[in-house]
Amino acid sequence: MIREATPDDVPVILAMIGELAAYERAAESAEATEPQLKEALFGPQPAAFALIAEDASGPVGFALWFRNFSTWTGTHGVYLEDLYVRPEARGGGHGKALLAALAQLCVRRGYQRFEWSVLDWNEPSIGFYRSIGAQPMDEWTVFRLTGEALHTLADTAPANGA
């Protein structure tokens, strides 16, 4: 079963974020807190949204996403930040059901793109994504500005900057 997350799901979502970070070999990078996640998902101006995959045992996976925008299509899209299914529930169709629910949301709202990133070593996920018709965007490289470099660039902004 796939359902929208509720504020009561924040602790389990946060726990699964930690599990995902460990799987991705970056456990030390998962710094989000329950209050931050609750504000981001359920505050007055939500920055992100989440779906929960459940079976008889309770929550077994989640998808956390936010809207993006394409200047080329002139429409919003969905960017999937995290997709995670607990190891004991993998192979049960939960990941595909989460992706299908987000694809349905895109179609219903007229969004023309549904995008996400995957680590290049994560062959099981890459194979799964290809099996549902997703295409890698090999010609694109993701860039990230963080930490000292972010602050250094910010210091160069004009005083009346955004």
Side-chain angles (χ1 to χ4, degrees), residues 3 8 11 30 38 46 62 67 78 89 107 115 122-123 141 147 153:
R3 63 173 175 79
D8 290 339
K38 190 170 188 175
F62 79 103
R67 287 190 324 165
V78 163
V107 170
E115 300 174 316
N122 191 345
E123 289 299 327
T141 300
L153 182 59

Side-chain angles (χ1 to χ4, degrees), residues 122-154:
N122 191 345
E123 289 299 327
S125 293
I126 291 168
F128 169 62
Y129 298 146
R130 287 180 186 270
S131 78
I132 62 168
Q135 299 295 314
M137 302 296 292
D138 293 333
E139 67 274 14
W140 291 89
T141 300
V142 175
F143 281 82
R144 179 177 292 159
L145 195 58
T146 186
E148 186 178 330
L150 175 66
H151 288 272
T152 299
L153 182 59

Side-chain angles (χ1 to χ4, degrees), residues 10-11 14 31-43:
V10 168
L14 192 60
E31 299 176 354
T33 65
E34 282 190 29
Q36 287 174 320
L37 196 55
K38 190 170 188 175
E39 178 70 19
L41 294 171
F42 304 106

Side-chain angles (χ1 to χ4, degrees), residues 21-63:
Y23 174 78
E24 292 184 347
R25 306 173 188 160
E28 70 285 348
S29 297
E31 299 176 354
T33 65
E34 282 190 29
Q36 287 174 320
L37 196 55
K38 190 170 188 175
E39 178 70 19
L41 294 171
F42 304 106
Q45 295 181 344
F49 308 91
L51 298 176
I52 299 291
E54 288 185 317
D55 67 12
S57 68
V60 295
F62 79 103

